[in-house]
Amino acid sequence: QITKQPSMQIVDEGTQQQASSVLTRSIDAMTIEAEFHYYHNDFQQAHNQTKAILDRDPFAHGCLAFHLSSLVELKLARELFIAAHRLVDGFADSAEAWYAVGCYYFLTKKYEQARRFFLKATNINNYFAPAWLGYGHTFAAQDESDQALAAYRTASRFFSGCHLPPLCIGMEYAKTGNLQVADQFFSHTLSICSFDPLVFNEIGVLRYLQRDYHEAARAFERVLQLSHDSVAPTWEATLFNLGHCYRKQLRFDEAAEVYQRALRCSPRNASTYTALGFTYHLKGDVDTAIDHYHKALGLAADDALTTEMLERALKDASSDASAFNL
């Protein structure tokens, strides 16, 4: 007789360890972990995981989209080129193969060619979401918002449970200045996925454009909480934007600290040195401001804003010195 109640069974420690080992070795479990890393914008870990999967099983196409997209994010053009050739040679009738080719051309900024191959991938498999997103990205990269929105809406229609299409739609509306509509799409995105740092980053940008610096700072802080490695180059822009929010709120010490963290992510970013100099300038520490303006001009000698700020700082320093001599 089959009972409707689950039976109580004692599982010994060895059986538990064996089950755990099987789960660890499972390709599906590893793919889920790679997806987790990818959606947390930890692209290096996602790449490491998908590479391990493909080393074990070259036919594990379930992880290919994450693998190829991670290569784009990490700007590994040579590895992407090799992967695309292998896929086209071995699986020319698969959407993933032509998606890989499109990714390579997208990474090398040959958007017309990338668009052609993304479209070919959708012709092979009309329900392959990454290709539709890539197709939209090629238009977005060239500021062709109408075509980009059309591609993203197609992706959203086919994949209503995926948060990336509405996120991309919101980003396009924000880019064109339609902030109210962008806000609606970001709210919808957040209702689908509340753990992707990119969602909060775009919400932070939107709040900054709306001059709600407190809420913008909260969103950027949430990005850093969700990220596993806040000193990775991926988060340099987020730290830079957070520094702006703190500066707008006259939280100069916190702004300077965040700008320094941004420099650890990208040490040769002239804009960050300029922002850091401006923060010290506002604090009244003119000498430190001048030092950072000089560093910025050492990296970008023709930057008009930094040149103007340096001239003002030198005048302020000269005025302070004259007052002191009096």
Side-chain angles (χ1 to χ4, degrees), residues 5 23-24 29 50 71 76-77 79 83 92 94 115-116 141 172 179 199 206 209 224 234 242 251 263-264 312 325:
Q5 298 295 328
L23 182 61
T24 301
T50 54
L71 292 176
L76 299 176
E79 191 171 339
S94 72
R115 191 174 302 147
R116 185 165 66 250
E172 281 303 305
L179 303 184
V199 178
L206 180 68
L209 293 173
L224 300 176
T234 306
L242 179 58
R251 298 159 65 179
L263 284 173
R264 288 198 288 273
R312 291 188 182 186
N325 289 333

Side-chain angles (χ1 to χ4, degrees), residues 50-309:
T50 54
K51 190 173 185 301
I53 293 170
L54 293 170
D55 286 344
R56 284 179 51 184
D57 182 3
F59 299 97
H61 286 193
C63 74
L64 269 179
F66 299 113
H67 181 68
L68 298 168
S69 299
S70 296
L71 292 176
V72 173
E73 296 291 348
L74 296 170
K75 295 179 171 56
L76 299 176
R78 181 177 178 275
E79 191 171 339
L80 186 54
F81 179 84
I82 294 171
H85 263 279
R86 286 177 177 170
L87 286 169
V88 170
D89 289 343
F91 309 96
D93 58 345
S94 72
E96 289 86 354
W98 300 108
Y99 173 71
V101 178
C103 285
Y104 173 76
Y105 281 117
F106 182 83
L107 180 57
T108 54
K109 299 184 179 181
K110 297 178 180 178
Y111 300 119
E112 294 291 340
Q113 293 94 321
R115 191 174 302 147
R116 185 165 66 250
F117 288 109
F118 285 139
L119 189 59
K120 184 170 183 176
T122 64
N123 289 334
I124 294 173
N125 181 359
N126 201 36
Y127 295 96
F128 187 56
W132 281 112
L133 290 173
Y135 186 63
H137 292 344
T138 62
F139 289 113
Q142 295 180 310
D143 293 326
E144 298 180 27
S145 291
D146 290 342
Q147 293 92 328
L149 286 170
Y152 294 146
R153 287 194 186 99
T154 300
S156 182
R157 187 168 63 252
F158 285 157
F159 317 103
S160 57
C162 179
H163 74 287
L164 291 179
L167 176 62
C168 293
I169 292 172
M171 290 168 69
E172 281 303 305
Y173 277 119
K175 189 165 66 175
T176 56
N178 199 334
L179 303 184
Q180 186 174 359
V181 177
D183 199 356
Q184 294 173 1
F185 277 98
F186 289 151
S187 297
H188 176 55
T189 303
L190 196 60
S191 70
I192 299 173
C193 179
S194 60
F195 59 81
D196 187 344
L198 182 58
V199 178
F200 288 96
N201 186 73
E202 296 307 316
I203 291 173
V205 171
L206 180 68
R207 297 288 176 257
Y208 187 89
L209 293 173
Q210 294 172 330
R211 301 188 178 184
D212 187 349
Y213 304 120
H214 175 71
E215 288 300 318
R218 287 185 58 190
F220 291 133
E221 288 165 352
R222 182 61 177 153
V223 172
L224 300 176
Q225 289 171 1
L226 289 169
S227 64
H228 294 156
D229 183 7
S230 61
V231 297
T234 306
W235 306 118
E236 186 268 336
T238 299
L239 290 165
F240 185 74
N241 292 336
L242 179 58
H244 283 354
C245 294
Y246 287 155
R247 194 191 71 231
K248 290 286 188 178
Q249 298 177 81
L250 307 183
R251 298 159 65 179
F252 298 130
D253 290 336
E254 291 170 273
E257 189 271 333
V258 170
Y259 286 137
Q260 292 286 4
R261 289 172 62 188
L263 284 173
R264 288 198 288 273
C265 295
S266 181
R268 296 186 60 80
N269 192 324
S271 298
T272 308
Y273 280 110
T274 299
L276 193 53
F278 185 44
T279 302
Y280 281 111
H281 201 161
L282 292 171
K283 282 182 65 178
D285 189 348
V286 181
D287 291 338
T288 305
I290 291 172
D291 181 49
H292 284 98
Y293 290 145
H294 278 301
K295 289 179 179 179
L297 289 172
L299 295 169
D302 57 347
D303 188 284
L305 174 62
T306 307
T307 302
E308 181 182 351
M309 295 307 302

Side-chain angles (χ1 to χ4, degrees), residues 4-63:
K4 294 181 180 180
Q5 298 295 328
S7 60
M8 297 294 291
Q9 295 182 345
I10 299 175
V11 181
D12 61 39
E13 184 178 352
T15 304
Q16 287 180 330
Q17 291 178 350
Q18 184 179 8
S20 176
S21 177
V22 169
L23 182 61
T24 301
R25 293 196 304 268
S26 166
I27 295 294
D28 290 338
M30 293 174 71
T31 301
I32 292 171
E33 185 177 346
E35 182 179 3
F36 174 84
H37 289 308
Y38 184 82
Y39 284 133
H40 280 77
N41 286 31
D42 191 350
F43 303 118
Q44 186 60 60
Q45 283 299 324
H47 171 254
N48 293 343
Q49 188 76 346
T50 54
K51 190 173 185 301
I53 293 170
L54 293 170
D55 286 344
R56 284 179 51 184
D57 182 3
F59 299 97
H61 286 193
C63 74

